[in-house]
Structure formats: C-alpha cells, structure tokens
C-alpha cells in the first residue's frame, strides 16, 4: 500500500488468515516471519506438497521449521539482503533488453 493511503496510521499491522486450510499449524503461537514465507505457506494451504517445507528463502508457516527471521533475526536478514547490490538486477534487465533488440531485424 502506498504511503498516501496509510500515512495517518504509522502503527498499522497486517494479519494473515487462512480460512478452511486443510492444515493446522505445528506451532500455535505468534511467529516472526516475512513476505518471503508467504509463498510456501500459500502453496501449502492449497495442499501442495513441499519437500522440506522450504521454497527459496521462505518457510511453510504450517510447519515446525524456523523462518530466517526466527533463526538469525530481522537485522541480520536485512544486512544479508543489502549485500546484493540493487543495480545488478537493473543491469541484468538492461543486458537482456539489449540482446533482444540486437536479434531483431
């Protein structure tokens, strides 16, 4: 959500609810997680089989596995993510765009 819509609510929180999911969480308490954990959790709630309960960096929240934030903490996770320069993603996009333009007649 853009800041225009929520600027008057600086302490807002979100809640994720899985209604009628075929699974029950192995840990019945508040968990510390991030958006990267939603990918395997949503698939699991749709009854997909996830080997090891992990996809990419995300953890299925219906499992008893710890999320990255639970393992290393939010500050450490943010430090690790910042090690990858954002310009690499942009440069990769530009290289792909240039190679596609070069192959066209």
């Amino acid at each position: 959500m853009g800041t225009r819509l929520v600027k008057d609510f600086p302490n807002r929180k979100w809640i994720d609810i899985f209604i009628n999911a075929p699974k029950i969480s192995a840990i019945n308490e508040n968990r510390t997680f991030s958006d990267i954990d939603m990918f395997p959790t949503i698939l699991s709630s749709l009854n997909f089989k996830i080997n090891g309960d992990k996809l990419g960096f995300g953890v299925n929240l219906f499992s008893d596995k710890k999320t990255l934030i639970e393992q290393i903490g939010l500050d450490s996770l943010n430090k690790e993510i910042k090690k990858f320069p954002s310009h690499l993603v942009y440069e990769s996009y530009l290289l792909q765009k240039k190679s596609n333009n070069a192959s066209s007649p």
Side-chain angles (χ1 to χ4, degrees), residues 33-41 55-60 67-69 77 81:
F33 65 96
S34 68
D35 53 347
I36 60 176
D37 299 306
M38 294 310 296
F39 174 52
T41 303
L55 286 174
F57 293 115
V59 173
N60 173 12
T67 66
L68 277 176
I69 294 177
L77 180 59
I81 289 172

Side-chain angles (χ1 to χ4, degrees), residues 54-70:
K54 295 180 180 180
L55 286 174
F57 293 115
V59 173
N60 173 12
L61 295 172
F62 288 107
S63 74
D64 60 350
K65 303 272 192 294
K66 289 188 172 190
T67 66
L68 277 176
I69 294 177
E70 291 170 335

Side-chain angles (χ1 to χ4, degrees), residues 53-91:
D53 287 313
K54 295 180 180 180
L55 286 174
F57 293 115
V59 173
N60 173 12
L61 295 172
F62 288 107
S63 74
D64 60 350
K65 303 272 192 294
K66 289 188 172 190
T67 66
L68 277 176
I69 294 177
E70 291 170 335
Q71 290 176 23
I72 65 173
L74 180 60
D75 292 336
S76 295
L77 180 59
N78 283 333
K79 284 179 191 173
E80 291 298 319
I81 289 172
K82 288 179 182 177
K83 287 181 180 178
F84 296 99
S86 60
H87 71 275
L88 291 178
V89 175
Y90 182 68
E91 287 176 8

Side-chain angles (χ1 to χ4, degrees), residues 10-73:
N11 296 321
R12 77 186 199 287
K13 297 182 190 283
W14 81 61
I15 183 170
D16 296 306
I17 300 173
F18 292 86
I19 299 173
N20 296 328
K23 302 192 178 212
I24 297 173
S25 179
I27 301 174
N28 291 324
E29 60 185 50
N30 292 335
R31 297 196 62 181
T32 307
F33 65 96
S34 68
D35 53 347
I36 60 176
D37 299 306
M38 294 310 296
F39 174 52
T41 303
I42 290 170
L43 289 178
S44 178
S45 75
L46 296 170
N47 229 13
F48 280 80
K49 173 75 174 136
I50 301 170
N51 293 331
D53 287 313
K54 295 180 180 180
L55 286 174
F57 293 115
V59 173
N60 173 12
L61 295 172
F62 288 107
S63 74
D64 60 350
K65 303 272 192 294
K66 289 188 172 190
T67 66
L68 277 176
I69 294 177
E70 291 170 335
Q71 290 176 23
I72 65 173

